[in-house]
Amino acid sequence: MTEALNHKDYDLLLDLVKTRSSVRSLKSDPLPEGSVEKIIEAGHWAMSGANSQPWEFIVVRDRETKLAIQEAYKEVNIDYAYWMEQQRIPELRHPSFHLKGDPYEQIEHIKSRAKWADAPELIVVIGDGRRQWGTVMAGHTFGRDQSHLTDGLANCCQIMHLAAASLGLGTQWITIHIQEPYRRILNIPDIYTIYLIIPVGFPAVEAKKGVRRDIEDMIHYDMYDPDKFISNEGILDYLAGLRGKTLEKYRVSYGEGK
């Protein structure tokens, strides 16, 4: 048992997980040949329901295509996310949207931050839900809380981010809230889910150490410990405190406040 707990592979994995960080400012320098293929190779070994492997990948290298994707993200996804975020009180807004001043000046500043088209390569992760028919019917959930399609895509993408970090490369998790513009730009059939854009490049900024809750607060043995339950009021205090810890990290990852 002691020998297993001291296994060197765990230490390597934990160090990689702890030091990986989202990098929103990437150099335009070309990647070593085969880098993106190595990242995808790692991701395609991810878990999926019944091993259905619902993922496919579009590697975008063409400058004009990258710019078109980025422009769609700025004008559709950022606009949508920004105005949704205004429904929160300012101190609880997501760090990317935690700004002061005129709302229209804020949104223009936020849009100006999106420079990931400068990354030498983008990986667009798409999912074919028909492949996921291979899993149990309960895994489709028909509008309930969870689907095996998104489970599998998330597993795949997480491994890809870790693989990039192991190669000394930076990545960002760019969630796609509104899919239609990318479908047109990349000629993606309607049946596919456009899940994620992953810019890949050498970091242009120093990574900031991640912020995590104490693990003791998360673990319950044998049954849920009611002493660890947090009230709704406590959650608001937690979120406000979290913003204070993560604001600088977000700004530095964009290349601001250096």
Side-chain angles (χ1 to χ4, degrees):
M1 177 65 72
T2 302
E3 182 177 333
L5 289 176
N6 292 327
H7 202 289
K8 66 181 186 304
D9 289 348
Y10 176 79
D11 294 333
L12 288 171
L13 174 63
L14 184 62
D15 182 64
L16 180 62
V17 171
K18 290 171 68 174
T19 55
R20 186 220 61 83
S21 179
S22 295
V23 181
R24 297 167 180 83
S25 181
L26 299 169
K27 297 178 181 178
S28 59
D29 301 1
L31 302 179
E33 186 174 351
S35 297
V36 161
E37 288 76 13
K38 282 184 174 292
I39 293 168
I40 292 173
E41 179 186 16
H44 100 293
W45 284 99
M47 296 179 288
S48 59
N51 195 30
S52 296
Q53 306 166 62
W55 38 71
E56 294 182 30
F57 313 92
I58 301 175
V59 179
V60 183
R61 294 168 172 156
D62 177 72
R63 173 68 174 168
E64 294 305 314
T65 305
K66 288 188 292 182
L67 287 171
I69 295 170
Q70 179 177 271
E71 190 64 21
Y73 180 79
K74 289 163 65 173
E75 297 306 320
V76 178
N77 280 263
I78 288 181
D79 190 79
Y80 170 78
Y82 175 80
W83 292 111
M84 288 289 289
E85 206 64 22
Q86 300 313 297
Q87 298 180 53
R88 294 184 179 187
I89 59 175
E91 56 267 31
L92 295 184
R93 289 174 190 160
H94 186 276
S96 289
F97 302 89
H98 205 297
L99 302 172
K100 297 178 180 178
D102 177 78
Y104 293 95
E105 293 179 357
Q106 288 184 37
I107 195 169
E108 289 307 313
H109 174 71
I110 293 166
K111 288 179 180 179
S112 73
R113 285 171 162 174
K115 298 177 181 178
W116 38 262
D118 293 338
E121 304 191 35
L122 308 178
I123 304 173
V124 181
V125 182
I126 61 177
D128 186 345
R130 298 168 302 170
R131 294 186 187 277
Q132 202 57 76
W133 290 349
T135 195
V136 295
M137 286 297 290
H140 301 292
T141 64
F142 301 107
R144 293 176 67 86
D145 295 334
Q146 187 175 351
S147 98
H148 284 191
L149 173 62
T150 52
D151 288 348
L153 294 172
N155 292 337
C156 173
C157 291
Q158 179 63 40
I159 291 174
M160 290 169 68
H161 282 276
L162 290 173
S166 76
L167 296 172
L169 299 171
T171 55
Q172 182 183 353
W173 187 291
I174 299 180
T175 304
I176 301 304
H177 300 292
I178 301 173
Q179 301 187 19
E180 284 70 21
Y182 315 99
R183 207 178 297 284
R184 293 192 297 270
I185 295 167
L186 296 172
N187 196 34
I188 299 171
D190 290 343
I191 198 71
Y192 284 88
T193 296
I194 305 171
Y195 185 71
L196 194 69
I197 298 174
I198 307 177
V200 184
F202 289 103
V205 294
E206 291 291 329
K208 298 288 289 185
K209 185 177 179 181
V211 176
R212 295 296 183 272
R213 295 162 51 200
D214 292 337
I215 194 168
E216 292 81 5
D217 294 340
M218 306 177 187
I219 300 178
H220 309 259
Y221 293 100
D222 296 322
M223 64 181 63
Y224 184 85
D225 181 353
D227 291 336
K228 294 183 178 180
F229 178 76
I230 185 169
S231 67
N232 291 336
E233 292 84 357
I235 285 290
L236 293 179
D237 291 339
Y238 164 73
L239 291 176
L242 183 66
R243 295 299 184 240
K245 295 175 182 177
T246 56
L247 276 174
E248 181 188 1
K249 181 174 181 293
Y250 269 83
R251 288 170 181 160
V252 169
S253 75
Y254 283 115
E256 299 176 348
K258 292 186 287 183

